[in-house]
Amino acid sequence: MAIIDLRSDTVTRPTRAMREAMLDAPVGDDVYGEDPTVNALQEQLAAELGFQAGLFVPSGTQSNLIGLMAHCERGDEYLVGADAHTYKFEGGGAAVLGSIQPQPIAHQSDGSLAIADLEAAVKPVDPHFARTRLLALENTWHGRALPRQYLQEARAFARRRGLAFHLDGARLFNAATAYGVSAREAAAGFDSVSVCFSKGLGAPVGSVLLGSTALIDRARRWRKVTGGGWRQAGMLAAACIHALDHHVARLADDHARAVRLAEGLSSLRGMTVDAQHTNMVFVRVPVDRLQALDAHLRAADVRVSIGYLPTVRMVTHLDIDDDGIERAVAAFGSFFGSN
Ligand SMILES: *Cc1c(COP(=O)(O)O)cnc(C)c1O
């Protein structure tokens, strides 16, 4: 039986149809700007999300990094969530490689960064201080879709203080699905957005950074500098186009399965379901039982994310069907026993 891998939505493997789309893709040298499939992806996504231009890159980490480097200069600063990917899970790249200082801000429980905290963090214009240049948000954040009203308030704040406004939208399409709006509406108001295709959209590789033509021109330079200039990348871009055309609407199925998983686990003894948002479920397990639980689940061919967060995380995706959810619930059930 296949392994039920709920560690992340990055573990999906390209479908047969996606592989066929990749095989047939026309390609060229993308460093010369001559890969027709890469160009088609960049144009399609920019048009769909309402931006002038897009840039296809190997990873979301690189997309965020070169986005920040395109907005900011050495000695600038960006405001970012203390538990945001762009701050905490990207090896400190903006500081290490961009000479851009992060100013981490504590998250509210809904994932937002309080406007008052942001206001207080903007530095005066004075040689003592880094120049506060940008606000970076993340949506979804640990599965949570940020309140839509908050996105407008954050944008108004950024405008008022003259800051660029970047979105780490690795799971933008999950946020849009949760809101019940188009991805374009979920991306509205940002100066730049980074979207991942290697998560719930099910492509093997790739992210796209979106912004103005001028911003993307600067980002293209940084992509090359950071080693991300690639050649016949059209085969990978073809997978992303296939995902845009076939894997967006089905994200609602992932969200429904996460609801079902949370429901199934909620009746078990000795553990608690902390939260379920979009395609993620977080459960709390006594620390002294974590190792045994992990071993038990592995023996049942169920994988979950243990150890990175204070809670156990499970993520639904393209390769998890209804039967997989039931098998995962049963594996937890045979460990904990039900009420
Ligand atoms: C996955 C992810 C990224 C990018 O990760 P890569 O592994 O570099 O593609 C960025 N932000 C968030 C919120 C993510 O979940």
Side-chain angles (χ1 to χ4, degrees):
M1 267 199 291
I3 289 179
I4 309 302
D5 195 342
L6 294 161
R7 287 173 300 168
S8 176
D9 45 9
T10 56
V11 301
T12 54
R13 271 162 288 215
T15 61
R16 169 68 41 202
M18 181 178 276
R19 289 170 197 248
E20 277 162 17
M22 295 171 76
L23 273 182
D24 290 341
V27 295
D29 191 324
D30 182 49
V31 170
Y32 293 127
E34 290 174 3
D35 189 301
T37 311
V38 169
N39 292 340
L41 169 66
Q42 292 171 167
E43 284 160 25
Q44 179 178 337
L45 194 63
E48 182 180 337
L49 298 191
F51 289 88
Q52 287 177 351
L55 185 67
F56 186 42
V57 300
S59 72
T61 297
Q62 187 173 61
S63 182
N64 282 321
L65 172 66
I66 66 177
L68 292 171
M69 290 174 79
H71 281 294
C72 301
E73 290 177 16
R74 181 175 187 217
D76 286 351
E77 170 185 82
Y78 70 115
L79 308 180
V80 61
D83 204 11
H85 204 280
T86 313
Y87 169 60
K88 197 172 175 182
F89 299 91
E90 296 180 4
V96 174
L97 303 168
S99 299
I100 306 162
Q101 163 172 292
Q103 173 59 67
I105 308 286
H107 294 266
Q108 303 299 301
S109 57
D110 63 6
S112 65
L113 312 175
I115 303 295
D117 292 347
L118 294 170
E119 286 281 6
V122 175
K123 312 286 185 291
V125 178
D126 178 298
H128 287 90
F129 303 111
R131 291 166 302 210
T132 312
R133 275 285 298 133
L134 179 140
L135 169 60
L137 296 184
E138 180 174 317
N139 202 12
T140 62
W141 174 77
H142 293 284
R144 288 163 180 78
L146 298 180
R148 291 195 72 200
Q149 172 67 26
Y150 170 74
L151 296 178
Q152 303 207 352
E153 290 163 16
R155 165 165 169 104
F157 157 79
R159 282 291 160 276
R160 193 161 69 240
R161 302 309 301 257
L163 307 179
F165 193 31
H166 173 76
L167 178 68
D168 177 356
R171 296 188 180 86
L172 175 76
F173 285 92
N174 294 88
T177 302
Y179 298 142
V181 305
S182 65
R184 186 192 189 95
E185 284 172 84
F190 290 94
D191 299 313
S192 52
V193 175
S194 168
V195 177
C196 284
F197 285 89
S198 57
K199 303 272 168 82
L201 294 182
V205 170
S207 290
V208 173
L209 178 70
L210 301 142
S212 68
T213 306
L215 185 89
I216 294 303
D217 282 347
R218 290 199 294 278
R220 187 176 296 106
R221 179 181 169 74
W222 288 125
R223 183 184 68 170
K224 187 74 178 125
V225 171
T226 53
W230 44 9
R231 304 296 178 175
Q232 287 73 30
M235 295 183 81
L236 298 170
C240 301
I241 293 173
H242 180 87
L244 279 180
D245 295 343
H246 298 97
H247 294 171
V248 173
R250 61 156 308 287
L251 289 174
D253 301 343
D254 294 343
H255 296 189
R257 289 191 178 108
V259 169
R260 165 65 203 135
L261 178 61
E263 276 171 9
L265 297 177
S266 65
S267 64
L268 300 183
R269 248 188 293 125
M271 54 159 279
T272 45
V273 176
D274 251 21
Q276 179 274 318
H277 302 285
T278 61
N279 65 334
M280 297 192 190
V281 177
F282 300 89
V283 301
R284 199 167 288 277
V285 172
V287 178
D288 59 353
R289 301 201 71 191
L290 274 178
Q291 291 308 324
L293 173 65
D294 198 24
H296 176 85
L297 294 178
R298 278 170 190 266
D301 282 341
V302 174
R303 305 291 303 272
V304 300
S305 192
I306 287 183
Y308 289 100
L309 300 165
T311 47
V312 173
R313 186 184 79 165
M314 282 159 274
V315 188
T316 58
H317 53 74
L318 199 56
D319 292 352
I320 301 290
D321 59 11
D322 292 334
D323 182 55
I325 296 294
E326 298 316 320
R327 276 176 58 198
V329 170
F332 272 87
S334 59
F335 185 79
F336 286 108
S338 47
N339 276 322

